[in-house]
Amino acid sequence: MYMDLRIMVYQLLHCAKLMITPISSGIITDRNTEQLQKTFEYAISKANTALGIPLVAYKEEISSGDSIDGYTRLCKFMQNGIGAVFGPSSRQTSKHLRTVCDAKDVPYIYPHLTEHLEGFNLYPHPMDLSRILHDIINMFEWKRFIFLYESSDYLTILNGLMSLFAIDGPVINVLRYDLKLNGNYKAVLRRIRKSEDGQIVVVGSTLSVAELLRQAQQVGIVNDKYSYIIGNLDFHTFDLEEYKYSEANITGIRLFSPNEFVVQDLKTQLGYNEYDNVNGSSPITIEMALTYDAIQVFAETTKKLVYNPQPLNCSEYSDHVQPDGSTFKNYMRSININDKTITGHIYFNGDIRKGYILELVELQPSGLVKVGTWDERNNLTIQRQPITELWSEIDSNSLVNKTFRVLISVPNKPYASLIESHEKLVGNDQYEGYSIDLIKNLAAKLGFNYTFIDGGTDYGSYNKTTNTTSGMMKEILEGRAELAISDLTITSEREEIIDFSIPFMNLGIAILYVAPKKKNTDIYSFMDPFSGEVWVYLGLVYIGVSFCFFILGRLSPTEWDNPYPCIEEPDELENQFTLNNSFWFTTGAFLQQGSEIAPKSLSTRTLASIWWFFTLIILSSYTANLAAFLTIEKPIGLIDDINDLANNEGGVEYGAKKTGSTRSFFLTSEHDVYKKMNEFMTKNPHLLFETNLEGVQRVKSSTTYAFLMESTSIEYHIMRECDLKKIGEPLDEKGYGIAMVKNFPFRDKLNNALLELQEQGALARLKNKWWNEVGAGVCKKKSDSGESAPLDLSNLGGVYLVLGIGSGVSLIYGVVMWCIYVARKARYFEVPFGAAFLEELRVAMDVANNERILKSDQSIYSRSRNSLASIDSIRTDSELENSLESD
């Protein structure tokens, strides 16, 4: 207190001497008061060294969350003519005080996460934090993770993440860890332990996130099965000593480096000794750092603009505002400062602070280690150094700082290829691929350096007869390289002269062939649901059942009806089951349309019930199969397995790479089929190629050639070449390994590192990246699209054809029967056929009249001698048809 008073007196005496009115600024604190007020004073003292008009510090302390007391202290500041107010840590109190300052045009500065743009906030915007978390998650290639958040204040980060990932992003399981608001998070942490997810993103306040990590360790989810990304900018202030050897991957971000001079200077001023928070940690919180930087921005503005704060009354009845407040605030937003700050470059884009560079840090046994940086222009840049170890842990077989020459095959996608860039790249930077990333991961784990050398396409072999080697094997054997990594198969022949690591990828020989083409569409495809035999039997059953109805109808007395109900004792009876009606009833039932005919006797009703049940099953089966037959395309290929290929089915020829493990497999195999294939390839050397890529090109250009190669390479090509397909199952089982000189002293180290990468899922992520992500996604199966192909005329043309033919036959039959009817009528009435034809045609064409006058003086039939004949003597169309049938 005595020091504070001495500084203030000195400032006032200095101002009086210069006849200059100092500019006051005040801070209201409710947490970590002592450290924040000391930081505030120290920042003002540093700023005053470069100011003509000095700043004066005012300080007030309130209880956490006490908005009323905060308002009282703020009014006290305003009555003294405050130039700027630095708000408390509590969000609600800070929001309330910010509203008052905005109404009075007093600059209000606060240092915490918020999506609101009022006042001055040097804390990174939530969307920027979403972007760096998005880049980190992509770097780790997470396909699913848990998003742990403390309260709704942090959901803006989740919203930003979801907008960046869109619909193709990873699966996100969102959990709030402070559900009961009592500081006990173990219930949520136990849920995480029971789930399948081991990747976790944590956002929350400094105290709650630190406590969350402590409770997570107690629950047992801080181990090698879990990875954490901490989205709190105070991660460097946590006590991380107990997590260093947990083997959990804990990654965080920070806004400044603890090793900077201004940070060390502030640390000394606050009374910390040099041993407090070493190895990448620091006691300087983000709130302290932003408070310090805000003072520098405020001071820089006073240098550019005359500012003379006036006393104000914060009563609601007072309309007075700070005269230069709006101008000063607008000018503050235009400030661009790049030095004298802790958090780096500061400028505003609207109301959002920009210019900072976030550091990506990782917890290692030696402490927090910087492994990359993030800024708006370059996004995430990895600057990973070899993992440091304690000197006591380094043994004589350590790979740290050793350099190895590594052979690769270029171009050989996806294992190694040249990076396509407008810039000229040299050295290791010019290569990319699965092999490149694998060596990088091993180097990061073991600490060695490496130099890539293009070893060509000849992986090499060993000739026991001549005792000679070739290709990469020869380069390693003669000491021109220590390691070789590519799609290099581990074989007993090669292991006689060199050593291999454990397999980093398992595979087998498979067949690459053009994808089967779909069958040409048949216009009668609507008949495909049933075989030809079923259709024949269906037709026979239809005819048989129709005749059964006809016979039973004539045999059953119930089916004989009185055609004239008014006559009690008729001379004749009528049967409804004529041959025509029997077929018509069967047809209507089969097509589920019914008819006007209803069976009466027990026998016909029984037959009708059985027929209806039969048609129900047949039509249901037909309908179910029709949808599948019309929408599912069954491809047709010339070969289906290795036996078809060996027998040259469809005239398909085959080959392999001239040298390598695939060719050796057939040369040394004792299997009859493989021996036969070896003889074929030996007799046809023109079907063998120098590289796998040449073989793939040959398959693409011909429908009668198949290429034998490793299944992993086939999987890579079929993801990018839509016309290619893998046929059958792999012929054998083998693996790719890292080749090295015989008795390599670091072989066990490499094997252990490969096992760790495999257990951590790093090898699977690498394969997924280079097989299914980079350059992939071109070919998708129809079933993956979620849509069925629409049916076109080629699928349903036969239905239209049947309809057209049926309609045409019906029309022709009707016209012929009409002509016969006219001819018989003309003969009956003894009139010329032509006149009768015209008379009937006129009646038929009179579409506006649906009634026909039978007796008319204008009719040609009225002048004949039979004109007085009863109308009953003229046979109807149906009677005419029946007479024709009887004829």
Side-chain angles (χ1 to χ4, degrees), residues 614-656:
F614 174 79
T615 57
L616 173 66
I617 301 302
I618 291 294
L619 288 178
S620 299
S621 303
Y622 176 82
T623 304
N625 281 352
L626 181 64
F629 272 88
L630 293 182
T631 56
I632 297 176
E633 299 172 351
K634 185 177 180 181
I636 299 177
L638 297 177
I639 57 174
D640 294 322
D641 52 32
I642 191 67
N643 293 319
D644 290 344
L645 188 65
N647 295 328
N648 299 107
E649 293 285 343
V652 178
E653 299 177 320
Y654 50 91

Side-chain angles (χ1 to χ4, degrees), residues 427-440:
N428 295 339
D429 295 335
Q430 62 184 319
Y431 302 113
E432 65 176 358
Y434 178 90
S435 301
I436 309 302
D437 285 354
L438 180 54
I439 289 295
K440 288 180 180 179

Side-chain angles (χ1 to χ4, degrees), residues 384-432:
R384 185 184 297 275
Q385 300 295 325
I387 297 179
T388 57
E389 297 179 330
L390 300 178
W391 287 107
S392 59
E393 297 174 347
I394 299 178
D395 56 29
S396 58
N397 287 329
S398 172
L399 278 74
V400 174
N401 295 327
K402 295 187 181 298
T403 301
F404 301 122
R405 294 163 293 179
V406 183
L407 293 174
I408 57 176
S409 177
V410 181
N412 182 25
K413 293 184 178 181
Y415 302 98
S417 61
L418 293 173
I419 297 177
E420 297 179 1
S421 173
H422 65 279
E423 300 178 357
K424 183 179 181 180
L425 302 177
V426 296
N428 295 339
D429 295 335
Q430 62 184 319
Y431 302 113
E432 65 176 358

Side-chain angles (χ1 to χ4, degrees), residues 856-874:
S856 173
D857 294 338
Q858 289 78 25
S859 173
I860 189 174
Y861 305 117
S862 65
R863 295 187 291 275
S864 69
R865 63 176 180 169
N866 294 326
S867 61
L868 297 178
S870 173
I871 191 67
D872 295 335
S873 61
I874 302 175

